[in-house]
Amino acid sequence: ADRVALVQALGDLAAMAITRARLLEAERERAAQLAAANAELSRTQELLEQQTTELEVLNEEMQERNAELAARVAELDAVLDQMADGVLIADTLGEFVRVNPAAERIYGRPLVGVAIGRWTELMHIEAPDGQPLWAEDLPLRTALHDERVVEGGEWTAERPDGARIRIAGT
């Protein structure tokens, strides 16, 4: 009976040793997985730090370019404001986004924000021969539609005081 108990105790010890060895192996595998995940996280962190540095450099470059653009816009505004010729700058839809003072003096009214569709109606735009001129026929619309420079456009417009003026434009 003692031998049976001893053999049984030895069997239990062997089973416990096997179980412990399996647990140790599983723990080693888990530790290796954690180490690999930690290494991957470190690589990802390094990559993010590198990208952050690159973004900071790009942001600084963009700020410098924006400052340069702002300076150039200010220069352009100064030149446009001093010109005797009227200059109207339109967006791709044909709406005026910048008009110099000379253009507003010529037409006798503010023009920024006036939709080109209303422009012909508001100022009674006509062809030089007195025929109505529709917004689609204006050099600006033709230039935008055909994506080309239109030179030698002529039309007449009515100022707020009722006087008609003749305009030649490109």
Side-chain angles (χ1 to χ4, degrees):
D2 287 337
R3 283 188 179 179
V4 171
L6 180 62
V7 170
Q8 191 171 9
L10 286 173
D12 288 346
L13 282 174
M16 286 173 47
I18 291 170
T19 300
R20 185 167 183 207
R22 286 183 183 154
L23 286 172
L24 282 173
E25 182 59 31
E27 190 175 316
R28 282 189 201 113
E29 285 179 23
R30 181 71 179 140
Q33 289 173 350
L34 286 173
N38 193 24
E40 181 64 27
L41 280 173
S42 292
R43 283 191 298 274
T44 301
Q45 182 179 1
E46 288 172 12
L47 181 61
L48 285 173
E49 287 172 359
Q50 178 184 0
Q51 288 175 346
T52 299
T53 302
E54 290 172 3
L55 283 173
E56 288 170 350
V57 168
L58 287 174
N59 190 32
E60 287 175 18
E61 288 177 8
M62 278 185 67
Q63 287 176 351
E64 289 173 12
R65 287 190 179 144
N66 283 342
E68 289 172 13
L69 282 173
R72 288 191 177 166
V73 165
E75 290 172 6
L76 175 64
D77 283 345
V79 168
L80 288 175
D81 287 348
Q82 299 305 315
M83 290 180 67
D85 290 332
V87 177
L88 299 102
I89 299 175
D91 62 17
T92 56
L93 299 175
E95 304 302 319
F96 299 119
V97 294
R98 175 71 166 89
V99 177
N100 74 344
E104 291 187 341
R105 278 192 306 276
I106 291 168
Y107 284 99
R109 61 176 45 98
L111 298 172
V112 172
V114 176
I116 195 165
R118 285 207 57 244
W119 202 53
T120 55
E121 169 191 324
L122 177 70
M123 291 181 278
H124 306 285
I125 304 291
E126 295 178 352
D129 64 4
Q131 293 297 313
L133 194 61
W134 309 110
E136 298 78 30
D137 300 324
L138 291 172
L140 174 62
R141 285 291 190 158
T142 304
L144 289 170
H145 183 266
D146 297 349
E147 295 183 359
R148 66 179 176 85
V149 174
V150 176
E151 295 185 37
E154 289 188 46
W155 60 93
T156 63
E158 186 176 295
R159 293 172 49 93
D161 62 7
R164 290 211 62 83
I165 55 173
R166 186 175 181 131
I167 299 173
T170 298

